[in-house]
């Protein structure tokens, strides 16, 4: 495993994100929705640095990746997500890779009548975007390599690492 972002670098990046988002919403109430499971560490750190009236919820996403090269569209479970009607919503995820997850989720949430939907991610993988959506707030742009730590997993392991590291995997 090769370290990519130290705990100190992440700390600075999260503070930068929190400040940027707070300035954008300028005191307006905001509903933060973290995408499970990868965003839990980021959400926990981010919300404690944000100077805004916040509601915080979570969205369950299952992206089944079968044997075929074309991934299935992700499924969203909003049953335990707070109501977003008329709200300004910020979706928070660990990483923007192809963008299918966040793009699909933005579309799905729009059906629930929010005032606005925007997105924030800790990491954006270089040269991978396959959707028209561009994330609004990005902590770090990273090379196209598989990373773990700070919420990101490989087969459900490594989410608890306080730093982000590149890991050699036989799939990606
Ligand atoms: P997307 O839909 O292709 O943008 O993929 C987003 C999801 O894929 C993220 O929420 C992660 O769960 C997962 N993912 C993509 N790249 C990585 C990585 O490098 N490490 C760990 N998980 C990743
Ligand atoms: Mg994952």
């Amino acid at each position: 495993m090769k370290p990519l972002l130290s705990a100190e670098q992440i700390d600075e990046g999260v503070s930068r994100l929190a400040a940027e988002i707070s300035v954008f919403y300028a005191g307006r109430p905001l509903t933060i929705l973290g995408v499970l499971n990868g965003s839990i560490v980021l959400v926990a750190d981010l919300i404690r640095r944000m100077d805004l009236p916040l509601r915080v919820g979570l969205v369950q996403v299952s992206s089944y990746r079968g044997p075929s090269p074309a991934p299935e569209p992700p499924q969203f479970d909003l049953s335990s997500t707070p109501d977003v009607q008329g709200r300004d919503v910020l979706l928070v995820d660990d990483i923007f890779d192809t963008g299918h997850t966040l793009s699909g989720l933005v579309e799905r949430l729009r059906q629930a009548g929010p005032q606005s939907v925007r997105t924030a991610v800790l990491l954006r993988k270089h040269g991978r975007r396959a959707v028209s959506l561009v994330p609004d707030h990005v902590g770090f742009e990273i090379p196209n390599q598989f990373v773990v730590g700070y919420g990101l997993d490989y087969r459900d392991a490594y989410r608890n690492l306080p730093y982000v590291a590149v890991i050699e995997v036989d799939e990606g």
Side-chain angles (χ1 to χ4, degrees):
M1 243 194 279
K2 198 174 101 235
L4 182 67
L5 296 169
S6 68
E8 291 72 25
Q9 285 173 300
I10 296 170
D11 193 67
E12 281 175 27
V14 173
S15 291
R16 199 171 358 98
L17 274 179
E20 196 180 294
I21 295 164
S22 300
V23 165
F24 183 88
Y25 289 98
R28 274 151 55 207
L30 179 64
T31 298
I32 292 219
L33 293 184
V35 181
L36 288 170
N37 296 322
S39 76
I40 55 169
V41 182
L42 174 61
V43 167
D45 282 348
L46 193 64
I47 60 176
R48 286 177 289 171
R49 296 173 200 195
M50 288 185 47
D51 184 19
L52 291 177
L54 284 187
R55 297 156 86 225
V56 181
L58 297 163
V59 187
Q60 182 72 60
V61 177
S62 33
S63 35
Y64 169 73
R65 283 185 184 173
S68 79
E72 300 283 320
Q75 304 288 310
F76 309 112
D77 178 0
L78 302 185
S79 56
S80 43
T81 300
D83 182 30
V84 299
Q85 199 184 357
R87 306 279 183 170
D88 287 314
V89 177
L90 182 70
L91 285 171
V92 175
D93 205 355
D94 49 2
I95 190 165
F96 187 99
D97 182 22
T98 65
H100 285 300
T101 304
L102 276 182
S103 172
L105 192 48
V106 166
E107 262 176 57
R108 172 68 188 79
L109 274 177
R110 287 211 168 114
Q111 296 166 15
Q115 168 133 312
S116 67
V117 183
R118 299 174 73 258
T119 56
V121 291
L122 181 71
L123 309 175
R124 177 171 56 195
K125 232 182 248 190
H126 185 76
R128 289 275 297 165
R129 187 163 62 94
V131 298
S132 59
L133 180 85
V134 175
D136 297 294
H137 301 280
V138 176
F140 301 92
E141 177 95 17
I142 63 164
N144 181 16
Q145 287 175 303
F146 199 85
V147 291
V148 294
Y150 199 77
L152 291 136
D153 73 301
Y154 174 60
R155 297 183 173 170
D156 287 319
Y158 309 114
R159 291 195 200 275
N160 57 310
L161 295 179
Y163 52 90
V164 170
V166 173
I167 186 173
E168 294 285 329
V169 295
D170 49 12
E171 57 178 358

